Amino acid sequence: EKKISFSERQTKISAWFSEAKEAAKKGDFEKAEELLISIINLDHRYLPAFIELSDVYYELRKYLEVKQTLFHVLKVLSRKTSNDFSGYRAKKELYYTLANANKQLGNLDEAIDNLQEALELDSNNPRYLDLILELSIIKKDYALAESIFRRLVEVNPENKKLPELRIRIDKLLEY
């Protein structure tokens, strides 16, 4: 295979990335996956392709692939300084997506760990608190559920699900 110049590679990556995003938007996730893998084969350091690929895998319900892809992205990002994050989706959102994938895979402890990482970066995010609360209830972890519930009440007191959540947490004491 002939070696292509840097500018040719960048042009191909840009075109394929746009095409992949458009395919995903239209629901053609298989085509998007194929294009994103082509980008990664051309430039294995192009993190936006990995991030977009994790979204495509999530839509295809390939949760193990989501997990592997995001694990790679987070590993690369952990080696960079905070100034290098520009242009990428917020790290906290990557942890949130990873938590959802782990939930789908039944890895509740890992999902909770992912959410705790996300909460380190955004301690008052109601979505993160809501999901970790949901997971703690599923795991029947009363102590965690109670502490997260208190935080959620402080952060989002108008949440209409609070009364129902309170009942579900109280039921954990019956076990």
Side-chain angles (χ1 to χ4, degrees):
E1 199 173 306
K2 111 177 182 183
K3 186 143 171 76
I4 62 173
S5 72
F6 177 80
S7 63
E8 288 174 313
R9 187 172 66 226
Q10 293 310 106
T11 301
K12 270 189 177 189
I13 288 171
S14 179
W16 286 347
F17 193 71
S18 294
E19 197 177 333
K21 286 184 77 116
E22 191 59 37
K25 196 183 296 180
K26 291 178 179 173
D28 189 352
F29 299 111
E30 288 78 11
K31 181 178 180 183
E33 177 185 15
E34 185 181 311
L35 288 161
L36 292 164
I37 289 172
S38 294
I39 292 169
I40 291 166
N41 286 333
L42 202 57
D43 183 353
H44 65 277
R45 294 172 304 208
Y46 190 67
L47 289 185
F50 284 95
I51 293 169
E52 189 69 26
L53 184 59
S54 73
D55 292 341
V56 166
Y57 284 149
Y58 199 90
E59 292 296 327
L60 291 170
R61 297 187 171 147
K62 294 181 175 182
Y63 302 116
L64 187 57
E65 286 85 346
V66 171
K67 182 177 174 179
Q68 293 166 337
T69 305
L70 288 178
F71 182 77
H72 170 75
V73 171
L74 289 164
K75 190 167 129 182
V76 170
L77 289 177
S78 72
R79 292 190 296 240
K80 294 179 174 275
T81 64
S82 59
N83 294 338
D84 291 327
F85 290 171
S86 63
Y88 302 126
R89 183 177 310 149
K91 198 173 180 184
K92 60 189 178 187
E93 284 296 313
L94 299 176
Y95 279 116
Y96 179 74
T97 302
L98 186 55
N100 276 305
N102 272 313
K103 177 185 176 194
Q104 295 298 328
L105 291 168
N107 302 331
L108 302 185
D109 289 331
E110 281 183 64
I112 288 171
D113 287 346
N114 301 144
L115 287 164
Q116 287 171 333
E117 292 281 355
L119 286 165
E120 286 271 324
L121 300 168
D122 187 358
S123 62
N124 293 330
N125 188 307
R127 284 187 320 138
Y128 305 166
L129 292 168
D130 189 60
L131 184 54
I132 198 169
L133 179 56
E134 182 66 33
L135 294 171
S136 65
I137 292 171
I138 291 169
K139 284 192 64 187
K140 298 178 177 31
D141 184 338
Y142 176 80
L144 180 59
E146 187 62 38
S147 73
I148 297 296
F149 181 79
R150 284 193 209 115
R151 283 176 65 187
L152 190 57
V153 168
E154 285 176 27
V155 169
N156 192 8
E158 66 281 349
N159 185 328
K160 299 200 183 329
K161 295 191 316 186
L162 290 175
E164 175 205 328
L165 290 168
R166 177 77 266 162
I167 292 167
R168 290 177 66 201
I169 293 167
D170 290 343
K171 282 186 179 177
L172 294 177
L173 292 174
E174 297 172 8
Y175 292 103

